[in-house]
Amino acid sequence: MDGTRTPQTPPVLILLGPPGAGKGTQARMLEDRFGLVQLSTGDLLRAAVASGSEAGRAAKAVMEAGDLVSDDIVIAILRDRLAAPDCANGVILDGFPRTTTQAEALDVMLAESGQQIDAAILLEVDDAKMVTRIAGRFTCGACGEGYHDTFKAPKVADTCDCCGAQQMTRRADDNAETVASRLEAYHAQTAPLITYYADKGALRRVDAMGEIAEIQQAIAALTESAMQ
């Protein structure tokens, strides 16, 4: 990455980080503050299929056959999406690329329109603390308010502070063993991407174990720098 970009070229950022690191929260902040659009692979595929575009029809056929959508199809869908008017201020990619092969294909596609990855922001976490953070989560089944065994227990056990319902639910995969396994898989998958973007000078690191406001401030500063 040469760090140069004309004012007319919409910035492209990537959020890297394991499940539970807060990528969704931070992406929403970037959308609100900078007018960027979050693009996740799942949302892209669903929207493309619903639109009936050529790439969407190809993705639908693959998914209905029970197969994985190829990188070529995902890149084609992303190319179409980046051309939409609401992406004129720039985008945040979440969940793509996942491999260096995908990253290379993405670079080629962006170069066609004079774009590049302006920053790959890595939300760094402490694995042991992340297991505790995620494994203790539960929510109110009535209003959706989130709680945690250690950090945010309801004032009255099993009773929602917001709506008074007693319908607390936990995700089946929010347990220590599953979370540890997901983190291990994430690191194995993402490590090559970290090296890839570090070598290109695009990697930016943020400590994602602090307060949400502090993390937001750090990411906002990196985003402002990347958009210049």
Side-chain angles (χ1 to χ4, degrees):
M1 306 297 167
D2 59 14
T4 60
R5 180 173 52 79
T6 65
Q8 292 75 31
T9 305
V12 181
L13 281 67
I14 296 175
L15 281 183
L16 299 173
K23 295 192 299 297
T25 297
Q26 299 305 330
R28 286 190 292 275
M29 179 274 292
L30 292 174
E31 287 183 313
D32 293 341
R33 183 163 178 172
F34 297 100
L36 303 178
V37 175
Q38 180 188 14
L39 301 179
S40 69
T41 306
D43 290 343
L44 282 171
L45 288 172
R46 285 188 288 271
V49 170
S51 73
S53 66
E54 181 179 350
R57 292 195 300 273
K60 181 179 181 180
V62 172
M63 290 188 290
E64 287 181 344
D67 297 323
L68 293 176
V69 178
S70 70
D71 292 348
D72 288 345
I73 293 176
V74 175
I75 287 290
I77 290 172
L78 182 57
R79 180 186 289 108
D80 291 344
R81 185 67 182 89
L82 289 174
D86 65 331
C87 292
N89 290 330
V91 299
I92 318 149
L93 301 182
D94 179 7
F96 188 88
R98 292 184 181 274
T99 66
T100 53
T101 298
Q102 291 177 345
E104 291 167 351
L106 177 60
D107 284 345
V108 171
M109 185 269 286
L110 290 174
E112 295 172 0
S113 57
Q115 293 175 281
Q116 63 179 13
I117 299 302
D118 295 285
I121 301 175
L122 173 64
L123 303 185
E124 296 187 299
V125 304
D126 178 292
D127 281 11
K129 291 180 179 178
M130 280 297 293
V131 170
T132 299
R133 176 189 288 183
I134 297 176
R137 299 186 304 191
F138 59 98
T139 60
C140 172
C143 72
E145 180 69 12
Y147 294 96
H148 192 280
D149 291 327
T150 303
F151 307 119
K152 188 186 174 184
K155 296 175 182 177
V156 178
D158 300 321
T159 303
C160 180
D161 295 343
C162 295
C163 71
Q166 295 180 318
Q167 301 175 28
M168 298 302 178
T169 62
R170 294 178 188 267
R171 284 178 46 171
D173 57 353
D174 278 355
N175 59 75
E177 293 77 13
T178 301
V179 173
S181 177
R182 286 160 59 193
L183 285 169
E184 182 179 355
Y186 161 78
H187 288 303
Q189 183 183 64
T190 306
L193 277 180
I194 294 173
T195 300
Y196 181 84
Y197 287 115
D199 289 345
K200 288 181 172 292
L203 187 71
R204 305 291 183 267
R205 299 175 182 270
V206 172
D207 180 358
M209 297 305 297
E211 296 295 328
I212 291 177
E214 294 175 353
I215 300 170
Q216 286 182 337
Q217 184 176 359
I219 292 177
L222 292 175
T223 302
E224 287 177 346
S225 176
M227 294 177 67
Q228 293 176 354

